[in-house]
């Protein structure tokens, strides 16, 4: 695992704004509303995310599935997966 890339990805994930998130989602073909984004951010900003910690990512995705909806959890999972190839 490339530690430098992991740190850069973690920094980006932990500092992304709601508007940047919406733009990123739209860039990848996902439609999310500002209200959905607020719900996502309530969960993902509750802790510092470490993209290399699969257990933490799974817990976040499970919270998104139960506290928002499966579509939103799927969007976030797909966006996280966009970064995975940088870590191998």
């Amino acid at each position: 695992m490339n530690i430098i890339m992991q740190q850069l990805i973690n920094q980006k994930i932990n500092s992304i704004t709601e508007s940047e998130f919406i733009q990123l989602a739209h860039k990848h073909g996902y439609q999310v509303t500002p209200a959905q984004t607020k719900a996502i951010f309530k969960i993902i900003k509750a802790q510092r995310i470490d993209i290399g910690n699969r257990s933490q990512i799974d817990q976040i995705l499970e919270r998104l599935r139960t506290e928002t909806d499966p579509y939103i959890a799927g969007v976030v999972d797909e966006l996280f997966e966009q970064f995975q190839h940088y870590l191998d």
Side-chain angles (χ1 to χ4, degrees):
M1 178 177 305
N2 185 333
I3 297 298
I4 294 170
M5 286 304 294
Q6 182 176 345
Q7 289 174 347
L8 290 171
I9 293 167
N10 285 339
Q11 181 179 357
K12 180 59 180 172
I13 289 172
N14 288 302
S15 67
I16 194 168
T17 65
E18 290 181 21
S19 63
E20 289 173 328
F21 180 84
I22 291 171
Q23 289 174 359
L24 181 65
H26 288 174
K27 178 181 171 185
H28 290 282
Y30 300 105
Q31 297 300 315
V32 293
T33 67
Q36 289 170 320
T37 302
K38 286 192 184 306
I40 291 166
F41 271 56
K42 180 180 175 187
I43 294 169
I44 67 172
K45 294 295 186 174
Q47 57 188 309
R48 286 202 55 78
I49 295 175
D50 177 3
I51 194 71
N53 182 344
R54 190 65 214 183
S55 174
Q56 180 191 36
I57 299 302
D58 289 342
Q59 288 174 347
I60 290 168
L61 294 172
E62 182 58 31
R63 281 192 66 195
L64 287 168
R65 270 187 220 91
T66 59
E67 294 177 30
T68 63
D69 63 59
Y71 172 77
I72 294 300
V75 168
V76 173
D77 189 28
E78 288 291 324
L79 293 174
F80 280 158
E81 289 298 319
Q82 298 294 321
F83 297 114
Q84 284 303 114
H85 73 277
Y86 292 116
L87 303 178
D88 296 330

